[in-house]
Amino acid sequence: MTDSLTIIRPDDWHVHLRDGDVLRTVLPYTAKTFARAIVMPNLRPPVTTVARAKTYRDEILAALPAGADFTPLMTLYLTNATDPSDVEMGFAEGSVTAAKLYPANATTNSEHGISDIKKAYPILECMQRIGMPLLIHGEVTDSGVDIFDREAFFIDRALLPLRRDFPALKIVLEHITTEEATAYVAENGGRGTLAATVTAHHLLINRNAIFAGGIRPHYYCLPIAKREKHRQALVKAATMGEAMFFLGTDTAPHVDAAKECACGCAGIFTAPTALELYAQVFDDAGKLDKLEAFASRNGPAFYGLPVNEAQITLKKGRGEEIKPILTQDEQTITSFAPPSPLVWRVG
Ligand code: DOR
Ligand code: ZN
């Protein structure tokens, strides 16, 4: 039995750090474990220009605890009005790493997203030419499509035509949740143009968890958790250790007042125990030997970045405790509680 595991320090390829008080509260959790993170741009208002991405990066750096070793990798939120020359300039100077495509109204703060993918074609042409990754929230927004089918429909209706029109564009299908997405990425990924991130919570819960004994707002996120067979497909895909799947927590904090109400926000906050949650999944699958590839090697390889030099050690025994987090203005943020108690902790 393995009760200690040392791996290369990981990166988180999908985080919501927010701004202001919430940023200062949640950032230390991501920065203690992860060396780098792809920072989502869906602030209010969204990060739509390189100039704004730079001021947001400065705000993140100013909020880091003393001595932290953490690099935020900034992203741009694509809108119908994004200027390709701004995107190209930001990528060339290294101030933005990727751009995010939110179909308009797909999720939290996505109302300024792309309403018609054809409108984004000039930007996508530019990104394909310069080798800049496109990060996709892969759900159709047609209200006639059942919420549990929105990802699978997106692959057929939007991703296939997009990849046909831009065969060399580097695409990350973010936070995949279905058997269909794992199969599509397993078959078409691995050649440097397609990969997927997988969250810890989608590896740990299925849709029953959202309704177990009552409605559980802290298990509600988008894309929503699916049937058990989909969770199993995700576990299989992530724990293979193959290049096209890597870690992206999609940790998405909302204060409890915004989750525990008549119309609660989507988002699950996993940052305090993110790596421990993944370790639990890989351990349960008998695949701890693949955690380093998934958490620390496959992401940098896709993004063309070096792997980190530092290492991190996980220990098995008394797991990390799950507790609510208090913001500086005294609001609480509930952390994700896995269905069975954690048995891993960092350090
Ligand atoms: O559950 C989610 N929360 N899904 C998203 O795509 C956005 C995120 C957020 O920003 O809260
Ligand atoms: Zn997200």
Side-chain angles (χ1 to χ4, degrees):
M1 198 186 82
T2 312
D3 54 13
S4 171
L5 180 69
T6 298
I7 61 170
I8 294 168
R9 192 161 173 234
D11 305 296
D12 187 343
W13 300 99
H14 185 132
V15 296
H16 297 270
L17 293 176
R18 314 300 191 204
D19 51 7
D21 185 37
V22 174
L23 167 68
R24 285 187 292 277
T25 306
V26 303
L27 178 62
Y29 295 102
T30 292
K32 81 174 173 354
T33 300
F34 298 100
R36 297 168 289 201
I38 284 277
V39 180
M40 286 298 127
N42 62 333
L43 301 182
R44 227 173 244 286
V47 180
T48 52
T49 64
V50 172
R52 180 69 186 100
K54 288 185 192 170
T55 57
Y56 184 30
R57 183 184 57 194
D58 292 345
E59 188 187 351
I60 295 167
L61 293 175
L64 277 172
D69 177 8
F70 174 75
T71 305
L73 302 173
M74 308 311 292
T75 62
L76 287 176
Y77 179 121
L78 298 180
T79 71
N80 294 342
T82 303
D83 172 4
S85 64
D86 188 49
V87 175
E88 182 163 3
M89 181 273 293
F91 186 67
E93 71 177 19
S95 43
V96 290
T97 301
K100 178 80 189 247
L101 189 161
Y102 287 106
N105 304 315
T107 186
T108 311
N109 298 348
S110 65
E111 58 274 23
H112 306 286
I114 300 289
S115 57
D116 170 7
I117 190 90
K118 293 268 182 219
K119 294 205 172 123
Y121 269 33
I123 306 154
L124 303 183
E125 263 151 32
C126 164
M127 291 174 66
Q128 175 171 255
R129 177 167 50 76
I130 64 180
M132 181 177 189
L134 176 72
L135 316 182
I136 300 182
H137 183 108
E139 289 193 284
V140 295
T141 52
D142 176 348
S143 59
V145 176
D146 191 277
I147 188 170
F148 294 99
D149 297 332
R150 288 181 188 169
E151 182 176 284
F153 270 65
F154 184 88
I155 295 170
D156 286 343
R157 283 192 192 170
L159 190 58
L160 291 176
L162 185 67
R163 295 196 67 242
R164 193 188 54 227
D165 292 346
F166 298 97
L169 179 62
K170 288 171 84 77
I171 293 176
V172 184
L173 192 56
E174 300 283 8
H175 43 54
I176 56 169
T177 58
T178 57
E179 190 169 56
E180 288 86 348
T182 54
Y184 180 75
V185 175
E187 208 175 301
N188 297 281
R191 288 183 287 275
T193 49
L194 179 67
T197 52
V198 189
T199 76
H201 49 277
H202 289 116
L203 292 167
L204 284 159
I205 61 164
N206 62 30
R207 66 187 195 175
N208 283 346
I210 309 167
F211 307 104
I215 192 149
R216 306 224 172 227
H218 300 291
Y219 284 161
Y220 173 58
C221 66
L222 290 171
I224 197 160
K226 309 294 191 300
R227 287 177 185 275
E228 175 62 9
K229 68 170 183 174
H230 295 289
R231 189 192 70 81
Q232 286 176 11
L234 290 174
V235 170
K236 200 166 159 213
T239 62
M240 283 190 313
E242 295 291 330
M244 65 289 264
F245 297 107
F246 47 82
L247 185 156
T249 61
D250 197 14
T251 177
H254 292 276
V255 294
D256 287 346
K259 298 246 346 142
E260 299 169 2
C261 56
C263 187
C265 295
I268 294 182
F269 177 54
T270 49
T273 58
L275 189 61
E276 294 86 339
L277 293 165
Y278 285 107
Q280 188 117 335
V281 172
F282 279 67
D283 191 7
D284 290 349
K287 295 285 181 65
L288 273 177
D289 59 320
K290 305 287 190 207
L291 183 63
E292 183 177 77
F294 176 79
S296 315
R297 289 186 182 278
N298 298 346
F302 183 85
Y303 278 88
L305 295 168
V307 298
N308 297 309
E309 282 173 15
Q311 293 189 315
I312 195 165
T313 297
L314 285 144
K315 296 233 161 69
K316 195 170 177 178
R318 198 167 53 86
E320 189 66 60
E321 200 188 327
I322 310 283
K323 40 184 188 301
I325 308 298
L326 203 57
T327 71
Q328 277 165 16
D329 60 11
E330 309 252 309
Q331 305 222 58
T332 53
I333 301 175
T334 294
S335 309
F336 175 77
S340 48
L342 269 180
V343 294
W344 288 92
R345 67 165 63 217
V346 169

